[in-house]
Amino acid sequence: MAKDNIIKNILFYGVGGQGVLSAAEICALAALNDGFHVKQSEVKGMSQRGGSVESYVRFGDRVFSPLPQQGQVDILVCLYKNEYPRLKDELKAGGIDLISYLDKANRAVGDHKMFLNAYMLGAVSSFLDIKESSWMKAIDSVFSRDQERNREYFSQGRKAGRQNDLQRKN
């Protein structure tokens, strides 16, 4: 009997200059490193600094379209709070909304906003069945600078995600 082709849909969004596209690329590569079939799509108004940016990552045994149906996102990853009202309805019922991690991420990175996406990726990773080694390999291939700090913030976000997931299950 063939197993179900469960596809995970993740939406990263924010504004240009925040690393939205880099975060989505790392997520896609991590899934690919773990043997999943992956599609990624970028939907951007203006990807210049300050313009709205969205990127969808879909992975599973077999993925045919780069975009999910409206309202079918499993994990919603906001990097800029003002963009949240525009895309919050993309999350499906029972999906994981990571908006509550944004304040934690901003506190964790402080003035080092370039690491915000690494922290949020860590939070995302805690909810996906992708090996940590696959995430690290993807981080190292996309971030050519400050790999150790990106790994550090990723680990902080992953820890925060796991703590919240455990609290939700108890």
Side-chain angles (χ1 to χ4, degrees):
M1 178 183 240
K3 65 180 181 176
D4 293 335
N5 183 26
I6 298 172
I7 297 172
K8 289 290 185 184
N9 301 305
I10 302 143
L11 171 56
F12 294 87
Y13 63 103
V15 294
Q18 289 189 297
V20 171
L21 302 181
S22 295
E25 181 181 1
I26 289 168
C27 184
L29 282 172
L32 202 61
N33 290 340
D34 240 28
F36 291 102
H37 186 240
V38 179
K39 297 278 187 200
Q40 180 183 354
S41 177
E42 299 163 6
V43 181
K44 47 196 178 252
M46 298 187 65
S47 62
Q48 66 191 18
R49 192 166 298 278
S52 295
V53 179
E54 306 163 31
S55 188
Y56 293 85
V57 175
R58 304 185 74 216
F59 68 91
D61 293 326
R62 188 78 179 127
V63 179
F64 295 100
S65 170
L67 294 173
Q69 291 182 348
Q70 187 170 3
Q72 292 302 306
V73 169
D74 294 293
I75 302 177
L76 197 59
V77 188
C78 178
L79 297 178
Y80 186 67
K81 206 172 257 183
N82 289 353
E83 290 290 303
Y84 182 71
R86 188 171 66 83
L87 291 166
K88 67 180 180 180
D89 292 336
E90 289 297 317
L91 190 66
K92 72 180 187 181
I96 299 166
D97 188 345
L98 297 183
I99 189 68
S100 66
Y101 288 83
L102 189 56
D103 287 336
K104 294 174 190 175
N106 278 310
R107 283 193 302 276
V109 301
D111 292 336
H112 305 286
K113 298 298 181 198
M114 70 175 88
F115 299 110
L116 183 70
N117 60 354
Y119 184 100
M120 293 301 286
L121 272 170
V124 169
S125 77
S126 70
F127 296 97
L128 296 174
D129 192 22
I130 297 174
K131 291 185 291 260
E132 187 171 2
S133 61
S134 294
W135 287 101
M136 292 304 169
K137 183 178 176 184
I139 286 170
D140 290 347
S141 69
V142 173
F143 292 136
S144 58
R145 295 180 15 218
D146 293 317
Q147 288 173 333
E148 279 308 308
R149 291 186 74 189
N150 278 298
R151 283 172 164 247
E152 176 186 323
Y153 287 113
F154 173 88
S155 294
Q156 287 180 31
R158 186 171 173 90
K159 182 179 178 184
R162 288 199 163 158
Q163 286 174 342
N164 280 359
D165 194 34
L166 286 173
Q167 289 172 355
R168 210 176 50 237
K169 288 178 180 175
N170 290 331

